[in-house]
Amino acid sequence: MNKLNEVLSSKLPELMKESGVSRRDLAEYCGVSYNTVRCWEVGTKAPRPDMVVKIAERFNLKPFDLMSEAFEDSTVKPVRFLSLVDEDGSVSKSKSSSVFTSTATDVAADYIYVMPDETMYKADIIKGDVCLIRATGAIRAGVPMLVKYQGKAMLRFIITHNETNQIALRTGSPYAIGTLFSAADFHDQVQVLGVLVAFRRNYKRR
């Protein structure tokens, strides 16, 4: 059992008992199964960061207060607290926005983006994955970039076709043509928000 699981499993049963919250109550509030809550209680499964937010909210706690003991262990070091990029590309200012952290060391990231769909599954990034984004306006070849297009944030590859002076936004499929722009239209219509530096595969499922 890792430290994160250990801390939550030691606190959750007591919180549930004190507040009169049943497993089923917590499962319904978090939108997960009864068995998932049971796994959190016994420490066999760690909740995703967004689930930590929901658990803390249910017991009127701040997420960091719920999990702070885990970060006292020298083997678990958050990079920093990161803000959440919303679906419209804005940075969330809600009370839940700054609770996401990376437990990986030496990862320089500025934002969290939770993958909302399966458009990047061919790149092994699926719905629910927690993506760590480093802010940059520079295009990086061969690396998923977080962009804002038509009022919506999305993770895409940016492909530059030098021979035609076109730029494409492409999903994870190597066979997809993607959305093509002239260089001028790309810079007018697409805002590059950042580059993917890591994603939390261990948080992808509930």
Side-chain angles (χ1 to χ4, degrees):
M1 185 186 301
N2 66 37
K3 189 67 175 179
L4 291 171
N5 295 31
E6 181 182 334
V7 168
L8 186 62
S9 64
S10 68
K11 289 187 174 183
L12 193 54
E14 183 178 348
L15 288 169
M16 293 170 67
K17 182 177 180 180
E18 289 178 352
S19 60
V21 174
S22 68
R23 286 178 184 167
R24 196 165 302 282
D25 292 336
L26 186 58
E28 290 179 0
Y29 186 84
C30 294
V32 299
S33 70
Y34 178 93
N35 285 336
T36 293
V37 174
R38 183 178 180 280
C39 289
W40 293 345
E41 281 189 83
V42 299
T44 57
K45 179 185 290 187
R48 298 194 322 251
D50 55 327
M51 289 296 105
V52 173
V53 175
K54 296 291 287 184
I55 294 167
E57 286 177 348
R58 183 62 185 84
F59 298 108
N60 297 314
L61 296 171
K62 293 180 180 180
F64 186 74
D65 290 339
L66 179 65
M67 303 301 292
S68 60
E69 291 177 22
F71 301 120
E72 295 173 3
D73 189 316
S74 60
T75 64
V76 182
K77 299 178 180 179
V79 172
R80 68 176 74 177
F81 287 95
L82 304 174
S83 294
L84 181 68
V85 176
D86 292 327
E87 289 187 6
D88 63 358
S90 62
V91 177
S92 176
K93 299 300 183 183
S94 71
K95 66 180 181 180
S96 299
S97 66
S98 62
V99 304
F100 294 91
T101 64
S102 167
T103 56
T105 57
D106 302 322
V107 177
D110 300 291
Y111 305 116
I112 284 291
Y113 175 71
V114 180
M115 193 66 193
D117 53 38
E118 302 287 356
T119 55
M120 293 293 285
Y121 82 97
K122 287 288 188 179
D124 199 34
I125 303 170
I126 68 171
K127 183 177 181 180
D129 280 352
V130 179
C131 303
L132 300 177
I133 306 295
R134 184 167 66 243
T136 180
I139 296 174
R140 305 289 177 85
V143 181
M145 305 286 298
L146 184 65
V147 302
K148 182 178 179 180
Y149 174 56
Q150 295 184 335
K152 184 179 179 181
M154 57 187 71
L155 203 63
R156 293 291 186 270
F157 288 103
I158 300 177
I159 310 298
T160 301
H161 300 285
N162 294 322
E163 65 279 5
T164 60
N165 198 31
Q166 290 181 307
I167 300 175
L169 283 182
R170 201 193 74 194
T171 61
S173 173
Y175 306 107
I177 296 174
T179 305
L180 290 172
F181 304 85
S182 68
D185 286 345
F186 180 87
H187 293 296
D188 285 342
Q189 299 177 34
V190 180
Q191 180 184 359
V192 178
L193 302 176
V195 60
L196 177 72
V197 291
F199 62 92
R200 303 270 57 85
R201 173 59 55 177
N202 53 319
Y203 292 136
K204 76 175 183 181
R205 298 294 188 194
R206 287 173 179 165

